[in-house]
């Protein structure tokens, strides 16, 4: 027989609960990803043991809460536990009566946190520290490996700590951050674009090797191009790849092979060369 008791009002999440949620979040959050509702089953799996403790096992309210958490959800892996911690704090206090508030917080924050998290942690930080590590590796310096490992450990520590912080702050965290989310997103996006431009100019080493002979005069086409706009050839290459990726049925793997084949062919013909 199903128990209809609303929830266990005296239960408070413990350090053990936070550790369990963080472990599931770090190692299994993307395993339930699907095209229809994306991270919904992953979110539910992450918090299911705690929902059972809050609502009681095999109760009507638990079933209702589980159904509520299988709605569409998709945000940055680097910020999702802020939403999780905030929602758990609300559910712990108000039970199933707060299901609409919980769903609203997920819908309202997942877009903003996706933009911020992807800009900073999926693009900006890997671009900066990946470039540093790659440059060191090219020069035979193994320090770059340790820098890269340290950065990733720091990111995982950040993900681990934010859950309990968001839980303790509850809805006041959302209220305080709301006015700053848009500005932070714009700043992160701008900085990410700036870093991509800098990496194009420094990491893509290609130039026009073709130098036609006109009588006794050799025309250095690359020199002429540099007089107009230096590093335009690497920028044009990146722009071409972006254009390819925007075509239907084009994948990143296909684009890589196209670049490899075309580069080898043009290099063999002497049209392009490495700087």
């Amino acid at each position: 027989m199903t128990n209809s008791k609303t929830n266990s009002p005296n239960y408070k999440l413990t350090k053990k609960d936070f550790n369990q949620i963080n472990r599931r979040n770090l190692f299994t959050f993307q395993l339930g990803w699907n095209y229809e509702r994306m991270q919904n089953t992953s979110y539910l799996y992450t918090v299911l043991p705690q929902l059972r403790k809050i609502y009681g096992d095999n109760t009507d309210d638990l079933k209702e809460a589980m159904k509520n958490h299988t709605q569409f959800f998709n945000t940055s892996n680097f910020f999702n536990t802020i939403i999780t911690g905030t929602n758990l704090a609300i559910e712990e206090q108000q039970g199933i009566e707060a299901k609409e508030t919980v769903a609203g917080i997920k819908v309202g924050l997942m877009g903003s946190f996706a933009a911020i998290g992807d800009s900073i942690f999926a693009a900006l930080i890997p671009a900066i520290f990946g470039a540093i590590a790659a440059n060191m590796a090219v020069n035979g310096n193994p320090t770059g490996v340790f820098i890269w490992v340290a950065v990733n450990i720091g990111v995982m520590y950040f993900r681990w700590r934010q859950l309990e912080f968001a839980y303790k702050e509850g809805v006041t965290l959302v209220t305080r951050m709301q006015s700053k989310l848009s500005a932070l997103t714009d700043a992160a996006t701008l900085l990410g674009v700036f870093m991509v431009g800098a990496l194009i100019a420094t990491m893509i080493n290609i130039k026009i090797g073709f130098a036609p002979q006109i009588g006794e005069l050799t025309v250095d086409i690359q020199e002429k191009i540099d007089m107009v706009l230096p590093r335009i050839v690497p920028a044009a290459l990146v722009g071409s790849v972006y254009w390819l990726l925007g075509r239907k049925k084009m994948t990143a793997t296909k684009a890589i092979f196209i670049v490899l084949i075309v580069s080898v062919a043009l290099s063999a013909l002497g049209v392009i060369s490495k700087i």
Side-chain angles (χ1 to χ4, degrees):
M1 182 175 179
T2 301
N3 183 3
S4 60
K5 190 176 185 297
T6 52
N7 69 317
S8 304
N10 295 326
Y11 185 78
K12 299 294 181 183
L13 298 184
T14 65
K15 193 74 174 180
K16 184 178 179 181
D17 291 314
F18 297 133
N19 290 340
Q20 183 181 45
I21 293 171
N22 276 322
R23 284 194 300 270
R24 291 191 173 201
N25 178 261
L26 282 175
F27 300 112
T28 67
F29 193 73
Q30 287 293 84
L31 296 182
W33 198 95
N34 61 89
Y35 283 104
E36 183 180 359
R37 298 187 181 184
M38 298 193 174
Q39 298 171 339
N40 66 324
T41 56
S42 300
Y43 184 100
L44 177 59
Y45 174 75
T46 300
V47 299
L48 184 55
Q50 286 65 46
L51 292 180
R52 283 174 169 161
K53 294 176 181 178
I54 292 173
Y55 294 108
D57 204 5
N58 198 33
T59 63
D60 290 336
D61 285 351
L62 174 63
K63 295 175 182 178
E64 187 68 23
M66 292 173 64
K67 182 179 179 180
N68 191 41
H69 284 304
T70 54
Q71 300 303 313
F72 178 89
F73 183 72
N74 188 47
T75 192
S76 171
N77 292 332
F78 304 96
F79 276 128
N80 62 355
T81 49
I82 291 182
I83 299 175
T84 304
T86 303
N87 278 342
L88 284 174
I90 296 172
E91 291 188 85
E92 185 184 79
Q93 294 176 8
Q94 301 179 24
I96 199 62
E97 295 178 359
K99 69 175 185 177
E100 292 185 2
T101 302
V102 168
I105 288 176
K106 291 171 71 176
V107 172
L109 292 183
M110 64 182 182
S112 299
F113 281 138
I116 296 171
D118 290 347
S119 297
I120 296 176
F121 293 99
L124 183 62
I125 290 179
I128 294 174
F129 292 98
I132 293 173
N135 274 321
M136 288 183 171
V138 169
N139 294 323
N141 188 344
T143 306
V145 176
F146 299 103
I147 292 176
W148 184 246
V149 171
V151 168
N152 280 278
I153 291 175
V155 170
M156 286 191 293
Y157 178 77
F158 170 79
R159 291 178 62 180
W160 190 278
R161 294 294 299 171
Q162 65 182 258
L163 172 67
E164 191 170 355
F165 169 76
Y167 166 81
K168 291 178 179 178
E169 293 293 325
V171 291
T172 59
L173 176 68
V174 179
T175 304
R176 289 205 308 265
M177 291 184 64
Q178 191 64 44
S179 61
K180 301 177 182 179
L181 289 177
S182 179
L184 184 57
T185 301
D186 292 341
T189 302
L190 182 61
L191 187 56
V193 171
F194 175 82
M195 287 306 304
V196 169
L199 288 173
I200 292 171
T202 56
M203 298 298 295
I204 301 179
N205 297 319
I206 183 175
K207 70 174 183 178
I208 302 297
F210 179 63
Q213 193 87 17
I214 303 176
E216 296 182 357
L217 178 64
T218 301
V219 180
D220 190 336
I221 296 179
Q222 183 64 54
E223 182 181 356
K224 304 302 180 185
I225 292 176
D226 289 340
M227 292 174 62
V228 179
L229 187 61
R231 311 297 293 185
I232 187 62
V233 177
L237 174 60
V238 174
S240 300
V241 172
Y242 271 101
W243 178 81
L244 279 175
L245 293 174
R247 311 293 293 178
K248 290 183 179 180
K249 298 183 179 180
M250 177 58 64
T251 65
T253 303
K254 291 180 181 178
I256 290 171
F257 277 108
I258 290 173
V259 171
L260 285 174
I261 294 170
V262 173
S263 297
V264 170
L266 293 179
S267 179
L269 294 172
V271 177
I272 62 174
S273 62
K274 182 178 178 181
I275 295 177

